[in-house]
Each structure stands twice: as structure tokens, then as C-alpha cells.
Amino acid sequence: MTDAPFELDRRDPERWLAAQFASDPARPRIAAVFAFADELAAIRSKAREPTMFAIRLAWWREAVEEVWSGGAVRKHPVVLALAAAHAEAPLPRAAADALIDAHEADIEPEPHADTAALRAWLAARDGAVVTLAAAAADPALDVAAHAVALDTAGAAWGAAGLMRSLPLFASQGRSPFPASARASTGLRLEDLFAGRPTPALKACLANLAGLACSAKGLKPGLNPDAFAAVACAATAPLIATRMLALDDPLHLAARPAPLLTRLALLRAVIAGAL
């Protein structure tokens, strides 16, 4: 993978590799959406104080308003790329707003009460990303008709991402697990934040793994370009399996073997199913 915009091949190799199955015109638009999502996800690492976090999130709300208003936009490479993508393939504004809204929870140490709430948040956050990416890939996409499939794919990919981001969450004093799962397994926040792996941690990860595998076999009925934008979800079970196999998932964020990733994506693209 070379010449990936915004270093997506390094920052999110499975997602970028999946996008390579899209046509040449669609690929830069998909990349713009993924870069937008990465910028929002990075805010919490750059602004740990609530006021600064809110300011940075508000900056992106203003940027989205500029993009969708069709006027001049701020000279930020991702904003410019997003505006260009929107000009070529109109993107759903509701999904962009939903993505930013979902990231408001990033400042909370334990934002989700139970698995249902976590799944709804993942569907809102990562479902918005795959919705925007699919719409960028296919200008004729009927987003409403595919909403359930896109949310399901997004939630699965998002759950795998939470598992892989566990070391980052712990270092920031945040828990990716629902409070109910932590209570039922006996996982203590002090152990999580101190980087101490416990059997309770593995039990909580298994709960996330179930969500990561929830889109397995899903046929979203998208055209090839749009499917390439969401095909990364086909690798979510591989990521979950690798994270569950780690002795110390608080200090390692293993990726699946590159060959397995490629095979999973190729199989998904040929079958049109996650």
C-alpha cells in the first residue's frame, strides 16, 4: 500500500486496504471520510481537559457547517478533502453530525451503562463513518434503505476498534466496557487504569468480541464501490480473535496477520458479504 492519503495505510491499514477494492474515482472520497473520522477520534488524545476538548469538537462542527453550506472552507487538508468529496458525491449531513455527537462521549471515563447502550453508540459513531464512506463511494446510494446494514457493519468494526484501542483507553483513564459488564465480571477500574491484566478483563473483552463478530455473514446489498467502503468490518472477527489471544492486551494491540487480513477482505468482496 503506497501513496495513501493522510497516512491511512499506517493509521488504519485494514480500512485502507479494503478501500483499495473501490474504483479509482471513489477511493479518494472514501479516504477523505476516513481521514475525517480519524481527526475526530484523535481529539481526546490531544485535548484531555474538558474545555479544550469541547473547543476542538466545536471547531469540527463549524468545519462541517462550512462543507455542507457549499461556501469557502477552512484551509485544513482534511476539511478540503471532505469538501471535495462532498462536491463530487453529496454526503448525508445527518451522518456527519451524528459522528461528531457520538464523540462527545469520549471525554467521559465510563460513558456506557450496558451492552445495549454501547452497541447503540457504536452504531451511531462507526455507523456514521461507514454511511459517509459508502455514500462517498456511491453517489446514488439510498442511505435510508441500507441504514440497518450500515449501522450493523459500523458497530462491529467499532467494537473491534475498541478492543484494539484498549491500551490507549487505559492510559487515558477511560473504560471501553459497559458498566454492567464490568460489574458482572468484577473488573476494577483501578486494575484497568494501572495496566494490570486480570481474568475479569478477558471476560469484558469477550463481551466486546461478541459485538465485533455481530456483522459476520451480513450481505448489505451495496454496489462494489460502496461495499469496499464498509468491507473493513469483515476483518473485525480477526481483530477480536487476536486481542483475545493476547496474554496482556493492556500493553499490546495486535493486528491480524497481513495475509489473513487480505484473504478475509478478498473473500468478503467476492461474496459481497461480511
Side-chain angles (χ1 to χ4, degrees):
M1 293 178 287
T2 59
D3 299 325
F6 309 108
E7 299 185 326
L8 291 174
D9 56 342
R10 178 183 61 80
R11 295 163 64 176
D12 210 337
E14 292 88 5
R15 200 152 59 176
W16 176 243
L17 182 59
Q20 301 315 292
F21 289 97
S23 65
D24 288 345
R27 205 174 300 140
R29 300 195 296 265
I30 297 171
V33 170
F34 289 162
F36 172 48
D38 283 352
E39 289 288 334
L40 291 172
I43 291 176
R44 182 59 178 80
S45 295
K46 298 173 181 176
R48 300 193 177 191
E49 196 274 327
T51 300
M52 291 306 301
F53 176 84
I55 289 172
R56 287 179 178 264
L57 210 58
W59 189 96
W60 280 101
R61 289 191 191 279
E62 294 168 0
V64 162
E65 179 61 35
E66 292 169 0
V67 169
W68 267 262
S69 69
V73 299
R74 53 199 66 194
K75 306 304 180 185
H76 183 286
V78 174
V79 178
L80 291 169
L82 190 65
H86 181 55
E88 291 182 12
L91 305 176
R93 169 70 184 270
D97 289 337
L99 177 56
I100 295 176
D101 289 345
H103 276 289
E104 290 181 350
D106 291 353
I107 200 65
E108 302 296 332
E110 192 175 38
H112 312 296
D114 52 34
T115 301
L118 172 62
R119 200 268 175 201
W121 177 73
L122 290 171
R125 187 192 68 169
D126 298 277
V129 176
V130 299
T131 296
L132 287 165
D138 176 12
L141 178 68
D142 185 341
V143 170
H146 294 88
V148 173
L150 293 170
D151 284 352
T152 300
W157 176 250
L162 288 184
M163 295 181 73
R164 190 158 57 191
S165 298
L166 183 59
L168 175 64
F169 271 75
S171 71
Q172 293 178 345
R174 302 162 61 201
S175 169
F177 307 116
S180 62
R182 188 172 59 79
S184 65
T185 60
L187 177 65
R188 302 188 307 167
L189 289 180
E190 52 265 39
D191 288 334
L192 177 64
F193 299 159
R196 291 190 289 266
T198 64
L201 175 67
K202 283 296 185 76
C204 282
L205 277 173
N207 181 55
L208 278 183
L211 285 174
C213 295
S214 61
K216 194 171 183 178
L218 175 70
K219 288 191 173 185
L222 303 170
N223 78 9
D225 279 347
F227 186 81
V230 306
C232 56
T235 68
L238 295 178
I239 295 169
T241 298
R242 288 288 293 142
M243 289 301 297
L244 285 175
L246 293 176
D247 291 331
D248 186 1
L250 285 170
H251 294 93
L252 291 173
R255 294 188 180 277
L259 179 59
L260 289 179
T261 297
R262 286 167 169 76
L263 287 174
L265 289 173
L266 182 60
R267 187 182 301 116
V269 168
I270 291 173
L274 301 174

